[in-house]
Amino acid sequence: MSKRVLFISSFQFPEGDAGATRLLMLARALRMQGCDVELCGMGDESVFDGFKCYTLNPYPDNKFLNWAMWRLMGQRAASFVRAHVDEYDAIVFSFLPARSLEAMKAACRSRGTVFAGDFTEWFEPEQFPKGERDGGYRDHIRLLKQAVDPAVKVIAISSYLQRHFEAMGCNVLRVPAVLDIEELAPRDISVRPKGEVRLMYAGSPAKKDALHIVLAAISELSAEERGRLRLDLYGVTDGQARGLMRDGEPLPECVRAHGRVPRSEVIALHCSDFTILMRDPSKTFAQAGMPTKVTESLGSGVPVISNLTSDLGEFLSESSNAVVVDGYSASACANALRRAIVLSPAELARMRGESVSTARQLLDYRAYSNQLACFLFGEKGF
């Protein structure tokens, strides 16, 4: 008889942000091993990709009730688990309030159900409106440091989080930012005529990404060097980009801001030569997380220009699938851009092929299917 697994979280299934996508990838990985998987979150009740999706929020269109459901999310998640724990062999939570874990742990313990958590972030105070006094931040830290105990199996996106939870006595499996690489449909990687090198950034720079470093780096290039590249910004307005320029400098002509576009369209926009990403290595969130946009880029056949934070050094290699920025500064980023703009069409084509190869080998959910099933249920019990 197949094992039954429930993923329960605050994400809005069936189609939500990167968090919802990650759990969908883990669900697919377990389905490959014959598991019967269901999802529960704050999205619609539906069937998506063959998975039954339950909702903790039946009133998304009612302003007051929708607000109330979000406020009561932890209690509703715990109630759902208590009511349905007998139906599952394993329950995996993600991004739920720390206070809801005790009830879920107790329910799983009483029925012999495996209880696990998927962890992908370690936020910092400045990412919350009230800093260290913010209730959301305090709950986040309680979840990381107090609510999880050795009875909880942990799926961690990074070695940073893996080390943290192993030090707490937990059994941990590291699964990086995986996607369905076959779905990304890599573009033609044949040799193209030499022209301007097209860079792409997609995201919200105010949250994690140091786009100001990238813009400062472009300003450090000579006029001739800037004329050989183009940077397209998605998720960033022209005004926001100008606000990131240092000392009131004008936005370089080679930079074009397109504003917000749907996430699905961003993936389709990977007709660039590189995506570019800079993160501050001194920030905990940069070491604890792993940017899904790196996986999206490599899987789409687009090499990456980036400094190395978290575990990116395991997936990005200079002149293979990346131009590595040697440091966290505008000058270091400018030097990387100079290396990128002199690459030949044949070199770019080779790097595109290496990018897809890396993604298929190391960042496709299928590569972790057997490991994940054995981690949850053990080789003898699966």
Side-chain angles (χ1 to χ4, degrees), residues 11-12 45 139 215 304:
F11 300 131
Q12 294 178 280
E45 189 144 325
D139 185 82
L215 295 176
V304 178

Side-chain angles (χ1 to χ4, degrees), residues 56-113:
L56 298 172
N57 181 13
Y59 309 108
D61 299 323
N62 184 299
K63 185 176 181 180
F64 173 75
L65 292 177
N66 177 62
W67 172 85
M69 292 302 98
W70 280 97
R71 293 281 293 181
L72 297 170
M73 175 180 58
Q75 295 95 308
R76 290 181 62 78
S79 295
F80 188 94
V81 168
R82 284 195 297 263
H84 299 281
V85 65
D86 288 336
E87 302 171 23
Y88 300 103
D89 299 290
I91 293 177
V92 183
F93 73 90
S94 182
F95 274 85
L96 289 175
R99 60 184 177 274
S100 65
L101 257 63
E102 283 304 322
M104 289 189 282
K105 282 193 293 186
C108 289
R109 188 183 307 115
S110 67
R111 297 295 189 272
T113 301

Side-chain angles (χ1 to χ4, degrees), residues 8 10 64 68 76 93 162 178 197 226 236 254 256 270 287 298 301 369:
I8 185 165
S10 59
F64 173 75
R76 290 181 62 78
F93 73 90
Q162 180 181 17
V178 294
V197 173
R226 288 196 298 273
V236 184
C254 61
R256 304 178 188 183
H270 278 181
Q287 301 300 339
L298 295 177
S369 176

Side-chain angles (χ1 to χ4, degrees), residues 11 13-14 16-26 178-179 263 292:
F11 300 131
F13 300 116
D17 58 12
T21 300
R22 174 173 172 82
L23 293 192
L24 178 62
M25 294 302 107
L26 298 182
V178 294
L179 290 173
R263 179 182 175 84
T292 303

Side-chain angles (χ1 to χ4, degrees), residues 301-372:
V302 181
V304 178
I305 299 175
S306 178
N307 63 327
L308 299 180
T309 58
S310 186
D311 301 313
L312 290 185
E314 296 182 18
F315 309 106
L316 301 181
S317 178
E318 175 69 25
S319 300
S320 174
N321 57 19
V323 176
V324 176
V325 181
D326 186 22
Y328 179 68
S329 67
S331 60
C333 187
N335 287 334
L337 292 174
R338 292 186 179 101
R339 299 201 304 277
I341 61 178
V342 298
L343 292 168
S344 69
E347 288 173 315
L348 289 171
R350 176 184 54 76
M351 293 179 72
R352 290 195 289 273
E354 292 286 347
S355 297
V356 177
S357 178
T358 297
R360 283 182 170 143
Q361 291 177 33
L362 302 176
L363 295 169
D364 189 287
Y365 76 85
R366 297 169 183 85
Y368 299 88
S369 176
N370 184 66
Q371 284 180 266
L372 181 58

